[in-house]
Amino acid sequence: SGNLLNQAREAINAAFISVASTPVAQAIAPKPRVVKRSSWGADLANGGCPPRGPPEYGTVQAAVIHHTVNANDYAPEEAASVVLGICRFHVYGNGWNDIGYNALVDRYGTLYEGRAGGLKRPVVGAHTGGFNTQTTSIASIGEHTAEIPTPEAQRSIIRYLAWKMAVNRAYPVTTSVQLASGGGSGNLFPAGSLATVPRITGHMSLNSTACPGAQMAPLLPRIQSAVQKRIKRFAKRRCPKGKKGKRCRQKRRRAHAR
């Protein structure tokens, strides 16, 4: 009976160690509200902006911030039609498969789904020549050569990238990353060379351009830091089930609302 008791204890201890050492899934920053493609007109039968073909998928190793270089004085109710106009220009003017950006944000802080294929997934865009298969993007709707992006737009960029980078496990975002250049016109790096850039960077660090503008560029380190802070804040163990986790879940909901 002593041997049986010892064997039972060993089995219990082994099971306890196994459970304790099992990695616990980490929570990620919540996905902010995003206006779907259908809501900004992409799916309209007449005057819409359907993709020319199916989406392609790559990886998300870095995020590239852009500005769209259109007027800053649009009204809130005009923003969706501005996104549609950008998409139609990219598809019918540039001949691209779809809108170039993966996501966009207006001056009022509203986020918009960009290229089709799923916001959560590593959809290959057309925004940073030679690096599209390794990056995701978000574009501020406006022109930031002389005008600073609004606090609302900055806040939404931070919230979106905290979710997007976490869900694709592209963190910590306060580090640099090496991207392999695919070359091409306007690329600052020859084909086959490695570009070392911050994980959240501006278009001008990879291509020959002033994008995202002289007033946006100095904000990038602060945005990068704020994104990492938000990722870290939500990267905690999931709340336990049952009554014990009730207080934890209440705290998490309050944090999500901030």
Side-chain angles (χ1 to χ4, degrees):
S1 59
N3 288 337
L4 288 174
L5 182 60
N6 289 334
Q7 290 174 5
R9 285 173 177 168
E10 289 174 2
I12 292 170
N13 288 337
F16 177 80
I17 293 170
S18 176
V19 171
S21 61
T22 300
V24 178
Q26 287 188 320
I28 63 170
K31 179 183 177 182
R33 292 181 179 178
V34 180
V35 176
K36 295 181 179 180
R37 289 173 58 88
S38 58
S39 297
W40 55 255
D43 299 342
L44 291 173
N46 296 310
C49 192
R52 293 177 180 271
E56 297 179 5
Y57 297 96
T59 61
V60 175
Q61 298 182 46
V64 184
I65 295 178
H66 301 259
H67 66 166
T68 60
V69 200
N70 54 268
N72 295 313
D73 58 354
Y74 54 87
E77 61 273 13
E78 296 174 318
S81 60
V82 173
V83 176
L84 177 58
I86 292 169
C87 183
R88 288 181 61 82
F89 175 73
H90 285 180
V91 173
Y92 301 110
N94 293 347
W96 297 348
N97 182 58
D98 195 356
I99 189 169
Y101 310 116
N102 298 102
L104 302 92
V105 61
D106 68 26
R107 63 184 287 105
Y108 306 99
T110 302
L111 289 157
Y112 301 84
E113 180 182 9
R115 182 162 286 218
L119 279 173
K120 187 176 181 180
R121 303 185 68 185
V123 178
V124 176
H127 53 86
T128 308
F131 299 96
N132 289 311
T133 61
Q134 306 159 78
T135 59
T136 189
S137 63
I138 183 166
S140 176
I141 303 171
E143 206 273 349
H144 300 308
T145 299
E147 185 172 314
I148 297 174
T150 64
E152 293 82 1
Q154 293 180 50
R155 185 161 51 247
S156 290
I157 290 171
I158 290 165
R159 289 188 172 197
Y160 174 76
L161 289 180
W163 168 76
K164 177 64 178 177
M165 301 303 274
V167 82
N168 283 272
R169 299 185 179 275
Y171 55 79
V173 300
T174 46
T175 59
S176 294
V177 63
Q178 287 191 325
L179 305 174
S181 174
S185 176
N187 197 326
L188 295 177
F189 300 87
S193 65
L194 293 177
T196 302
V197 295
R199 199 180 283 276
I200 294 178
T201 191
H203 189 188
M204 75 290 184
S205 66
L206 293 166
N207 290 171
S208 180
T209 176
C211 178
Q215 298 301 314
M216 171 73 91
L219 302 177
L220 298 182
R222 189 186 69 79
I223 290 173
Q224 185 182 40
S225 177
V227 170
Q228 179 60 28
K229 183 177 180 180
R230 187 169 175 83
I231 290 174
K232 188 175 180 179
R233 178 153 66 97
F234 287 97
K236 299 175 181 178
R237 291 177 180 267
R238 294 188 185 277
C239 299
K241 294 181 179 180
K243 292 182 178 179
K244 290 184 68 175
K246 185 176 180 181
R247 183 177 297 178
C248 170
R249 289 189 292 274
Q250 289 173 341
K251 289 175 65 177
R252 185 69 54 80
R253 283 194 291 269
R254 288 195 293 269
H256 282 206
R258 292 200 291 269

